[in-house]
Amino acid sequence: MSNWYEEISSKTDSILEEIKNHSFIKELMAGTLPKEVFYFYINQDTIYLSEYKKILAQVGIKCDDENETQFFLESATGIINVEDALHQNFLKDQETTKEASVTCELYISYLSRIVHTKSVEEGLAAVLPCFTIYKDVGDYILANQSNKGDNPYQDWINTYGGEAFANSVKKAIDITNKYASNASQERLEKMNEAFEKASKLEWMFWDSAYNKEAWKI
């Protein structure tokens, strides 16, 4: 298999469409998303990214090529430094929490378990949707919005629709495809499962933010 990502993308396209059609994304694109919902999202994303950095570093360490290791270590610092700056911009003067929502806790725990206890191939597949879905959503919003000049969330949108992020996403896809091309059928199925589950967790993360998810007890 030379292009695992292309195949899994077609299988999980319905999840991406559900994300694009979610009220969070539609209202974000229109600039009408309630500020308290966006702040909740950014706060939870900050908690998520503080763990995702470590998860990316762990994936990089497990890769067998030093350039691949370097890419994930740079991703753990470079990409997330940009996001940290956005968070500081949007969350300054806002009350924040250090407690992960139920969905945030589930997502980071799932990724951590996969990268620490499963194969490098599964780890790569699990972390990939956070790259690819954000790029697809950023591109989708930029292509369909008519309010680039006065959308209060434009800085966030531009981060994920930009060329620098697109280059990182392509590299992550290329690395994962390389490992998939040498994987057994059984391992490919595990990769598919990890990618699909992480994609569903991406939808759940936005949904949980839209509903300002709280622990029930």
Side-chain angles (χ1 to χ4, degrees):
M1 179 183 289
S2 59
N3 200 328
W4 167 84
Y5 175 69
E6 202 170 278
E7 289 203 13
I8 193 61
S9 291
S10 65
K11 289 177 184 173
T12 57
D13 189 57
S14 61
I15 302 171
L16 179 61
E17 289 306 308
E18 287 288 340
I19 291 171
K20 289 177 182 176
N21 288 318
H22 196 287
S23 297
F24 186 103
I25 300 302
K26 286 190 171 299
E27 293 175 23
L28 182 80
M29 182 163 63
T32 59
L33 186 70
K35 283 191 165 47
E36 65 270 18
V37 171
F38 187 72
Y39 294 146
F40 183 99
Y41 163 76
I42 293 289
N43 191 170
Q44 289 300 314
D45 201 35
T46 301
I47 295 168
Y48 168 85
L49 288 170
S50 69
E51 296 302 317
Y52 189 63
K53 293 175 186 178
K54 303 168 194 172
I55 289 163
L56 285 182
Q58 181 65 24
V59 168
I61 289 165
K62 292 177 82 169
C63 289
D64 57 22
D65 180 284
E66 63 182 23
N67 292 319
E68 296 162 357
T69 301
Q70 188 65 27
F71 166 75
F72 282 108
L73 293 177
E74 287 175 357
S75 294
T77 53
I79 293 173
I80 296 170
N81 280 343
V82 172
E83 292 172 314
D84 283 346
L86 280 179
H87 293 159
Q88 288 163 19
N89 181 35
F90 283 113
L91 286 179
K92 64 184 179 190
D93 305 323
Q94 297 297 319
E95 280 191 33
T96 60
T97 179
K98 294 188 184 301
E99 183 180 48
S101 68
V102 181
T103 297
C104 183
E105 186 74 56
L106 174 64
Y107 195 3
I108 57 182
S109 297
Y110 173 71
L111 291 182
S112 183
R113 178 174 68 83
I114 294 297
V115 301
H116 283 95
T117 68
K118 304 297 181 182
S119 66
V120 63
E121 290 88 353
E122 282 177 74
L124 289 165
V127 302
L128 193 58
C130 193
F131 282 88
T132 58
I133 288 175
Y134 270 75
K135 179 190 178 297
D136 288 337
V137 167
D139 289 347
Y140 169 74
I141 293 174
L142 283 173
N144 290 282
Q145 68 174 150
S146 56
N147 58 349
K148 290 183 177 69
D150 59 1
N151 189 318
Y153 309 120
Q154 198 63 43
D155 283 349
W156 183 94
I157 294 165
N158 290 342
T159 299
Y160 297 107
E163 187 179 345
F165 187 60
N167 290 337
S168 290
V169 173
K170 183 181 183 305
K171 181 68 173 173
I173 291 170
D174 288 346
I175 291 171
T176 310
N177 272 340
K178 188 198 98 170
Y179 281 81
S181 68
N182 295 313
S184 66
Q185 187 58 41
E186 182 182 4
R187 188 151 289 180
L188 286 172
E189 287 170 9
K190 292 289 188 184
M191 289 178 72
N192 290 348
E193 182 183 327
F195 184 90
E196 182 175 352
K197 196 167 283 187
S199 297
K200 289 177 178 177
L201 283 161
E202 284 288 336
W203 180 92
M204 289 172 63
F205 195 91
W206 270 307
D207 187 65
S208 67
Y210 192 73
N211 295 300
K212 294 193 288 183
E213 179 185 51
W215 290 82
K216 295 186 185 301
I217 188 170

